[in-house]
Amino acid sequence: MIMDVILQQSNEENRRAWEANAAFWDERMGEGNDFANLLCWPIVRSMLDPQPGQRILDAACGNGLFSRRLAGLDAEVVAFDFSAELVKLAQARSSPSTPMPTYHAIDATDGQALR
């Protein structure tokens, strides 16, 4: 029981930090930096091999960078993050001219993702 309280407090502290820094992260990450664009994305795309209509879950999606890219390849993307502010920023970066991921503000550590 005491560990549950400690984990809950730690989780809430972490969430507050991401909420407070969401705009900073979004500004820095934007549509990707060299790390995301040159190193991560080619491997993620290759490993997932997204196909049109394929359903993909993006957990801890942040500002939705990879969610948007996967949706742009015609995958059906459901994305979530526990920072509601990051989810808002992800939605704001989505373009009406491309398929939009479905975004949710969900805390996967409390069982919400299983509902």
Side-chain angles (χ1 to χ4, degrees):
M1 177 139 167
I2 220 160
M3 284 303 290
D4 289 340
V5 171
I6 292 169
L7 288 173
Q8 186 177 9
Q9 289 172 342
S10 176
N11 192 42
E12 189 53 38
E13 186 177 310
N14 193 6
R15 181 193 332 273
R16 281 193 306 270
W18 275 108
E19 294 286 18
N21 291 295
F24 175 82
W25 176 261
D26 183 60
E27 182 181 307
R28 295 298 184 277
M29 184 54 66
E31 292 304 319
N33 56 23
D34 284 349
F35 179 77
N37 294 333
L38 301 176
L39 184 63
C40 297
W41 175 244
I43 292 176
V44 167
R45 184 176 181 176
S46 173
M47 287 177 60
L48 290 179
D49 188 25
Q51 302 298 311
Q54 179 182 10
R55 296 186 76 188
I56 298 175
L57 176 65
D58 186 357
C61 67
N63 78 338
L65 173 62
F66 288 170
S67 298
R68 289 188 302 281
R69 289 181 181 184
L70 292 165
L73 296 171
D74 294 323
E76 183 183 331
V77 181
V78 175
F80 71 90
D81 199 281
F82 80 155
S83 167
E85 190 58 32
L86 277 170
V87 168
K88 286 180 197 172
L89 292 166
Q91 290 169 325
R93 283 192 174 272
S94 294
S95 168
S97 64
T98 60
M100 183 170 165
T102 302
Y103 292 106
H104 300 278
I106 295 175
D107 181 350
T109 65
D110 71 359
Q112 286 184 55
L114 301 176
R115 295 183 201 142

